[in-house]
Amino acid sequence: MPAFNDPTKLTAPEPVPFIDLVAQHQTIKGEVRAAVDQVFETQHFVLGEEVDQLEAEIADYCDARFAIGCASGTDALVLSLMGLGIGPGDDVITSPFTFFATAGAIHRVGARPKFVDIDPVTYNLDPQQVEDAIDENTKAIMPVHIFGQCADMETLWRLSVRNNIPLIEDACQAIGAEYRGRRAGVLGTVGCFSFFPTKNLGGAGDGGMITTDDAELATRLKRLRVHGDVGGYNHVEVGFNSRLDALQAAILRVKLRHLEDWSEGRRQNARRYSELLRGLNLLSSIDPPVTAADQRHVFNQYTLRIRGGMRDSVMEYMRGEGVGCAVYYPIPLHMQKCFDYLGYSPEDFPESNRAADEVLSLPIFSELTDEQLVRVATVLSEAASSVTALKFTTGGVAARRAA
Ligand SMILES: *Cc1c(COP(=O)(O)O)cnc(C)c1O
């Protein structure tokens, strides 16, 4: 049928949201409601049975000996650093290309974030630069499993063992990610998770979890989250309040049962995008995410690199067409005002700067339909050619003469 007779061609295509938590909630509404009601029946809202159960289930899921719930992913990082005795005078090596909390947590315990640059393919810490940066002040290495793919943990683990410094995984974006058949959370000394609503396992508010195989550290973390109390108002050290709510735990237990399906959905969507981008001949200017053969990437974000300085125009075009997309993260942490005191200059971490200028994340949530995936890829393709064409249809000396 000719386009002018086809009523579907007259209406604009449906927008594709960047993330749609409502769609996911619709599939588990009844289960969540029952879990919430159950907590209200008990009127037990902080820690308690639901949290104990969630801790046991997360420990089992990650194959860790211990899991300790806390108030957020940020607190999981702060508690881990405190539990390992890291504080003033200590340096912690980490990535400048991450969410702020990674370095913020290091600052919060009085230690110094020591940045090293990332690998341009995976956006994860470059282990060679970590090795070069280790000195007598280095008291921990904190890799971030950025976007849901683990850092090069075997190399980092060797550095950690050889130098006798702990390895803290910022696994906030990577629950369920695997590296050589082991899950994020058990690849270092301690693993930190976030249950912020947009993470792969998201609660109905803030929440976090720490995993470890170290019994002594687990005991210390459990008391640090309750002001250092070992019971009966006996405080053996000063901690703070970072408890996990029973309501969050109950909801997360429901969602944990679906996590594998959702992660597989994200992985399938990622494969489909990569196939579509190849089909649309976009690979000369756009690099899709690369998953190493020994990894299971869980795609908290599906992040492309758009070369040629056209990322911002591509993003603007896509948003104009109703396709959600976002930049994680536009400002590397060594460039943040609050870290001026660390004394870095902008050019210290060229790969982090380049990533900040070139990355773009597409919608990847598991409920996306194939129609939506095709629409996103098609609009991306249109955006890329329109931005390229723009160079020869606007501006130039002709425009200046006309003005
Ligand atoms: C989300 C996130 C955090 C912080 O988690 P919150 O629960 O928001 O405190 C830390 N690091 C990374 C890499 C994150 O993505």
Side-chain angles (χ1 to χ4, degrees):
M1 193 186 290
F4 54 84
N5 275 340
D6 180 350
T8 63
K9 293 282 194 273
L10 296 175
T11 51
E14 285 282 308
V16 182
F18 181 65
I19 182 164
D20 187 354
L21 294 173
V22 174
Q24 185 184 78
H25 180 62
Q26 294 313 313
T27 68
I28 54 167
K29 223 170 166 167
E31 290 173 88
V32 169
R33 170 54 58 198
V36 167
D37 284 348
Q38 178 56 36
V39 173
F40 272 90
E41 289 307 314
T42 67
Q43 289 290 300
H44 198 150
F45 292 118
V46 177
L47 296 176
E49 183 63 19
E50 289 291 341
V51 173
D52 290 346
Q53 291 292 335
L54 177 69
E55 289 174 342
E57 289 164 13
I58 295 281
D60 180 61
Y61 180 80
C62 295
D63 197 28
R65 281 181 70 201
F66 306 98
I68 300 99
C70 61
S72 68
T74 304
D75 278 5
L77 295 167
V78 171
L79 287 164
S80 296
L81 289 160
M82 286 173 77
L84 290 163
I86 291 155
D90 299 337
D91 286 352
V92 178
I93 294 178
T94 193
S95 167
F97 187 66
T98 174
F99 178 58
F100 180 79
T102 313
I106 296 168
H107 174 99
R108 281 256 314 277
V109 300
R112 252 177 108 84
K114 185 170 187 178
F115 297 120
V116 311
D117 213 355
I118 55 169
D119 174 275
V121 175
T122 63
Y123 309 104
N124 273 319
L125 269 187
D126 175 349
Q128 184 57 53
Q129 296 192 51
V130 173
E131 180 165 10
D132 297 343
I134 293 175
D135 62 21
E136 66 283 1
N137 295 321
T138 307
K139 293 296 149 60
I141 308 169
M142 189 185 275
V144 180
H145 303 324
I146 198 80
F147 305 141
Q149 175 164 238
C150 295
D152 181 356
M153 293 305 286
E154 184 168 350
T155 313
L156 294 174
W157 180 247
R158 283 179 203 284
L159 293 175
S160 152
V161 170
R162 195 194 309 147
N163 295 280
N164 194 28
I165 45 178
L167 184 59
I168 304 170
E169 299 175 70
D170 182 340
C172 287
Q173 300 181 1
I175 192 160
E178 292 173 20
Y179 173 94
R180 303 197 183 156
R182 292 171 67 80
R183 286 216 164 127
V186 295
L187 303 169
T189 315
V190 58
C192 303
F193 294 97
S194 165
F195 302 131
F196 186 77
T198 61
K199 307 291 166 141
N200 288 19
L201 179 61
D206 281 307
M209 186 73 67
I210 309 166
T211 48
T212 185
D213 286 340
D214 181 332
E216 218 172 293
L217 180 60
T219 305
R220 188 168 186 198
L221 292 169
K222 281 207 165 191
R223 67 179 189 237
L224 282 169
R225 72 175 171 181
V226 290
H227 296 292
D229 190 357
V230 289
Y233 295 96
N234 286 299
H235 298 263
V236 297
E237 62 179 329
V238 179
F240 62 109
N241 168 11
S242 184
R243 300 170 301 220
L244 183 61
D245 288 342
L247 275 172
Q248 295 305 340
I251 294 165
L252 289 163
R253 289 183 65 203
V254 168
K255 291 186 150 193
L256 182 57
R257 298 200 287 265
H258 301 275
L259 180 60
E260 281 308 282
D261 285 348
W262 293 334
S263 296
E264 275 312 311
R266 286 171 180 271
R267 287 161 52 75
Q268 250 166 47
N269 292 345
R271 279 194 291 270
R272 181 73 171 125
Y273 271 143
S274 297
E275 171 189 293
L276 288 165
L277 299 189
R278 206 174 310 120
L280 290 161
N281 271 325
L282 282 174
L283 301 189
S284 56
S285 53
I286 293 178
D287 300 327
V290 173
T291 307
D294 54 0
Q295 299 249 19
R296 178 189 194 226
H297 194 326
V298 291
F299 293 99
N300 180 239
Q301 300 297 345
Y302 179 90
T303 303
L304 308 164
R305 182 193 291 278
I306 301 184
R307 285 180 268 111
M310 55 177 191
R311 191 270 316 274
D312 289 344
S313 319
V314 165
M315 176 165 68
E316 212 172 296
Y317 182 100
M318 293 183 74
R319 287 182 170 171
E321 292 296 310
V323 172
C325 50
V327 174
Y328 300 109
Y329 294 89
I331 308 172
L333 300 188
H334 70 289
M335 304 280 286
Q336 296 288 351
K337 177 84 195 131
C338 64
F339 288 138
D340 277 356
Y341 77 96
L342 294 172
Y344 289 109
S345 28
E347 61 276 9
D348 285 344
F349 307 110
E351 288 302 342
S352 296
N353 287 344
R354 199 160 71 85
D357 290 341
E358 296 185 336
V359 291
L360 186 67
S361 299
L362 303 184
I364 193 65
F365 59 92
S366 76
E367 294 78 12
L368 283 165
T369 63
D370 195 60
E371 214 176 355
Q372 288 176 311
L373 293 164
V374 170
R375 166 109 184 113
V376 173
T378 309
V379 171
L380 173 64
S381 168
E382 279 170 26
S385 48
S386 137
V387 170
T388 313
L390 218 54
K391 181 174 171 63
F392 297 102
T393 51
T394 59
V397 287
R400 241 162 56 203
R401 273 199 297 269

